[in-house]
Every structure is written in structure tokens, then in C-alpha cells.
Amino acid sequence: MMDMVNIECLTPDKDPMGAAIRDYHAVGKAGRLRVFSSQFEEDEIPVAGLFRTYGEMPVLERKALDLAEGRILDVGAGSGCHSLVLKERGKEVLPIDISPLSVEVMRARGLDARQVNLFDPRFTGQFDTVLMLMNGSGIIGRLENIGGFFNRMRQLLAPGGFVLMDSSDLRYLFEDEDGSFVIDLAADYYGQVDFRMQYRQVKGDRFDWLYIDFNTLSLYATQYGFKAERLAEGEHYDYLARLALG
């Protein structure tokens, strides 16, 4: 249900990724953007990669940008790298993010960005393409939120519109030496991950992030009146999907 999905935006004191993006935009470098999870060892996000150009983007992202058309909503836009490519091509694009500092940077880069949570019912509009990249399915949070996600897409998509979303199948984490997969079917869905970020002294709150395999996505899409099409696959269980009303 929609009320299970977080509709809040961040504040600057809880915005580590935004702080890293602001530093990199200001001086061309940033400190470590650290990522913590109860399921994985500590990792970090290379901040320079958040400012990548079209030529530096993975194949799945480039394909999505090539297919985006009409009025485009760029969800979780970050530094605005995808929106900048689209704007340079003369496309009409609205980048949104829950990070106030990321929105500040996007505006400084010439984008008409808004600090908006995708699931906030006060945000309205009709879009021909909803773009959700960089493991865009993560914004859904948990599998039980997926009904709210599809209902929200129904509200925001113009007639004939579609969602372009990438994700990954985390089953490779459960791969045995013989190539088989050992997944506990009685446990929570294996693609549900919790994260927390820290940049310098700025610590973010814990949040849920959903990686969803294509077959599961397709089953839920059908249940909510959508059709899921796998447009391309990456090198490591990642894929780009198009979601449209069936």
C-alpha cells in the first residue's frame, strides 16, 4: 500500500551523498562516501562516478537515455548526469531527488531540479517516460511496497507512457561452487537490502533498497495491469526493463 512507502525528503544534516556531490561539484574531488549494511561488509561509492558523461555510462544507462522520449521524469537524479545528457539533446526533463544538496548542485549545473519524493501524493504530473536508473528499483524499498509503486506509476504516466528502470538479480550472492543457487525460500526476499551512508561527519539514516529479479518484477507488473519487457542485460545479472500499462 502507498502508506507503507516513505514519502519524506532528506534534510542537509542527514544527506551524506548530497554532501559528497556538493564537494565534488565545488572543487573536483570529494572524500570517501562510505556505505554500511547489515548484510555486507563496508563499501564506498566513487563520487567521481556520479558525475559520469554519456560515454562513461554503462550500456544499460545509455540505452535507457536513447529510448527516453516526450516529457521525462528523472527519479533519484543525484548529480543530474542523466538529465544533463537529455537536456543537451533538447529533451524536456524534470530531475527530482530527495536530497536537498543534490538538488542544489543540479540547479547550479543548469537543471530545473526539484526536491521531491516520488511517492509523495502532492507531487503530480503526466510523464511520457519515467526514468529510474542506477539500480532504480531500489527506491521501492521492499517487495511489499511494489503495489504502491505500480499504482504511483499509473498516476504519473501519460497515455502510452512507460517506465525505464534498471535493477540486478542478487542471486549470484548465493551461488555455490558447483554453479547452483542456495536461497532460503522461507526467508525475506533475497533482494531486500538495508543501507546507511556516511560522508565525513554527515551520517544518514538506515534505508531499505530493493534489487528485484526480472521474473519477479514481471509477475508483479502483470498483477497490477502492467507489462514488463526486458530490453537489455548487463554483464553481471543486471538488466534494463520497460514497464508500460498492458
Side-chain angles (χ1 to χ4, degrees):
M1 298 295 293
M2 185 67 72
D3 60 3
M4 296 176 66
V5 184
N6 177 31
I7 63 169
E8 301 301 318
C9 286
L10 299 178
T11 53
D13 62 312
K14 294 287 188 179
D15 187 10
M17 179 177 281
I21 285 173
R22 182 178 60 181
D23 276 4
Y24 191 90
H25 176 255
V27 298
K29 62 180 180 180
R32 295 175 61 211
L33 179 55
R34 304 165 67 191
V35 182
F36 305 91
S37 172
S38 65
Q39 291 113 311
F40 306 109
E41 295 181 357
E42 180 182 337
D43 200 355
E44 65 179 89
I45 296 174
V47 181
L50 302 176
F51 287 79
R52 57 190 176 274
T53 63
Y54 178 82
E56 296 168 331
M57 292 176 187
V59 172
L60 298 185
E61 291 182 20
R62 295 203 302 266
K63 185 172 183 66
L65 293 177
D66 293 343
L67 292 172
E69 61 184 38
R71 188 170 187 229
I72 303 163
L73 179 67
D74 183 6
V75 180
S79 74
C81 61
H82 300 117
S83 287
L84 283 170
V85 172
L86 294 168
K87 182 181 178 181
E88 288 167 2
R89 294 179 177 181
K91 304 285 188 178
E92 181 184 359
V93 57
L94 173 62
I96 63 172
D97 206 292
I98 64 171
S99 158
L101 301 179
S102 294
V103 169
E104 177 186 306
V105 168
M106 285 192 280
R107 289 174 176 168
R109 301 182 82 191
L111 294 168
D112 184 19
R114 292 178 59 186
Q115 186 185 6
V116 170
N117 188 310
L118 175 68
F119 295 101
D120 189 334
R122 294 169 295 183
F123 173 62
T124 59
Q126 291 280 285
F127 300 92
D128 302 291
T129 305
V130 175
L131 205 60
M132 300 176 66
L133 298 180
M134 298 193 297
N135 282 301
S137 66
I139 292 171
I140 301 169
R142 295 183 60 82
L143 204 55
E144 61 255 34
N145 298 334
I146 202 163
F149 164 72
F150 278 114
N151 289 334
R152 189 69 175 124
M153 292 303 98
R154 188 183 294 274
Q155 295 168 354
L156 291 174
L157 285 174
F162 53 83
V163 181
L164 295 173
M165 183 174 74
D166 64 356
S167 192
S168 298
D169 183 350
L170 295 191
R171 64 189 171 116
Y172 69 88
L173 296 174
F174 305 91
E175 188 172 5
D176 219 340
E177 291 182 1
D178 62 0
S180 62
F181 295 92
V182 183
I183 298 174
D184 183 359
L185 298 179
D188 283 346
Y189 177 65
Y190 64 88
Q192 295 177 157
V193 180
D194 63 83
F195 288 122
R196 183 176 65 80
M197 295 186 186
Q198 180 175 346
Y199 177 73
R200 303 193 191 280
Q201 301 306 311
V202 182
K203 298 179 180 180
D205 292 330
R206 190 197 69 83
F207 60 93
D208 294 316
W209 197 253
L210 179 66
Y211 298 87
I212 185 168
D213 68 278
F214 178 77
N215 288 338
T216 300
L217 176 65
S218 184
L219 285 171
Y220 277 101
T222 300
Q223 181 179 338
Y224 289 96
F226 282 74
K227 178 182 178 182
E229 179 185 1
R230 182 161 42 196
L231 300 178
E233 294 183 78
E235 297 178 355
H236 202 60
Y237 298 101
D238 52 331
Y239 65 90
L240 174 68
R242 174 162 45 199
L243 305 170
L245 282 165

